[in-house]
């Protein structure tokens, strides 16, 4: 998944490669992380996943349950959790980055911003966008700003224990006002 080959299918005849995304459940017990990737899902998916009520004694406040639409979002979540970040805070951070760049690059959509990890460097890229020089548009993650957002907004971004959520820009809009 990390190197981008998991969803790539190669034709044995011509060698052409194509992306073939399908529903998968990713689980990392060491991080208490479960991510369900469901391409083309509708709003009822979250209702279905969250329909079971677990006994209070079975709930783990540290466990994380997420839903993503596709491979790019799955990769982003894996990178976020790999470096110990909180995806809810990262989503808020992305909204601020978008607000700061949207006037200069009006064709960029908020959902085009993705968190990325390259070695030890954490930054945001604009998916499928390069400038006139062919360079990927990137914005470095500022540790101080991340910590400030986490300290000030994490309570407003709370998720009930044991529940799946699709933490994206639409979810963020239901939690906080960004502008």
């Amino acid at each position: 998944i990390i190197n981008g080959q998991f969803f790539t299918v190669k034709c044995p005849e011509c060698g052409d490669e194509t992306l073939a995304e399908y529903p998968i459940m990713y689980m990392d017990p060491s991080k208490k992380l479960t991510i369900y990737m469901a391409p083309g899902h509708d709003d009822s998916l979250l209702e279905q996943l969250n329909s079971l009520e677990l006994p209070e004694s079975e709930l783990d406040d540290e466990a994380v349950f997420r839903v993503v639409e596709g491979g790019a979002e799955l990769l982003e979540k894996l990178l976020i959790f790999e470096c110990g970040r909180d995806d809810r805070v990262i989503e808020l951070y992305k909204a601020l980055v978008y607000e700061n760049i949207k006037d200069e690059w009006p064709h960029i959509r908020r959902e085009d911003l993705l968190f990325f990890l390259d070695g030890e460097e954490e930054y945001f890229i604009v998916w499928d966008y390069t400038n006139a020089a062919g360079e990927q548009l990137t914005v470095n993650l500022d540790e101080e700003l991340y910590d400030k957002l986490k300290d000030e907004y994490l309570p407003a971004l709370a998720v009930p224990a044991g529940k799946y959520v699709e933490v994206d820009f639409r979810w963020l809009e239901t939690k906080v006002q960004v502008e």
Side-chain angles (χ1 to χ4, degrees):
I1 295 172
I2 298 290
N3 72 14
Q5 296 301 306
F6 190 80
F7 298 107
T8 303
V9 178
K10 187 174 185 175
C11 175
E13 297 295 319
C14 69
D16 191 28
E17 292 184 348
T18 189
L19 188 64
E21 293 183 335
Y22 44 86
I24 66 165
M25 181 74 72
Y26 175 90
M27 299 171 77
D28 185 340
S30 68
K31 290 185 175 63
K32 298 183 178 186
L33 176 63
T34 302
I35 304 173
Y36 183 51
M37 186 181 96
H41 71 272
D42 61 25
D43 293 338
S44 68
L45 176 65
L46 286 171
E47 292 173 24
Q48 293 171 10
L49 290 170
N50 292 324
S51 64
L52 294 176
E53 289 296 324
L54 298 174
E56 188 88 18
S57 62
E58 298 289 318
L59 295 177
D60 182 348
D61 289 336
E62 295 177 6
V64 175
F65 299 92
R66 297 295 187 258
V67 172
V68 296
E69 178 74 24
E73 295 89 357
L74 177 59
L75 173 59
E76 178 186 47
K77 294 291 183 203
L78 295 178
L79 293 175
I80 289 169
F81 289 104
E82 181 65 30
C83 62
R85 299 289 183 191
D86 189 301
D87 64 330
R88 300 165 297 170
V89 178
I90 291 294
E91 201 59 47
L92 179 58
Y93 199 123
K94 286 177 10 181
L96 294 177
V97 169
Y98 174 75
E99 289 300 318
N100 286 318
I101 67 172
K102 70 179 184 180
D103 292 336
E104 190 171 347
W105 292 287
H107 62 283
I108 292 173
R109 302 171 309 150
R110 188 167 31 170
E111 57 267 33
D112 292 335
L113 278 169
L114 293 174
F115 175 84
F116 201 75
L117 175 66
D118 187 11
E120 297 293 316
E121 190 175 353
E122 301 170 56
Y123 52 92
F124 300 91
I125 62 171
V126 178
W127 190 253
D128 269 348
Y129 175 79
T130 54
N131 64 15
E135 301 166 319
Q136 184 80 47
L137 177 60
T138 63
V139 177
N140 289 334
L141 184 132
D142 179 280
E143 188 72 36
E144 190 175 315
L145 177 56
Y146 176 87
D147 289 340
K148 183 177 180 177
L149 292 172
K150 185 176 179 180
D151 291 344
E152 291 182 19
Y153 289 94
L154 202 53
L157 304 174
V159 173
K163 298 298 182 185
Y164 281 88
V165 291
E166 187 168 9
V167 175
D168 61 9
F169 71 96
R170 292 176 299 268
W171 173 84
L172 184 65
E173 288 175 340
T174 68
K175 298 292 186 179
V176 295
Q177 178 82 24
V178 180
E179 283 185 39

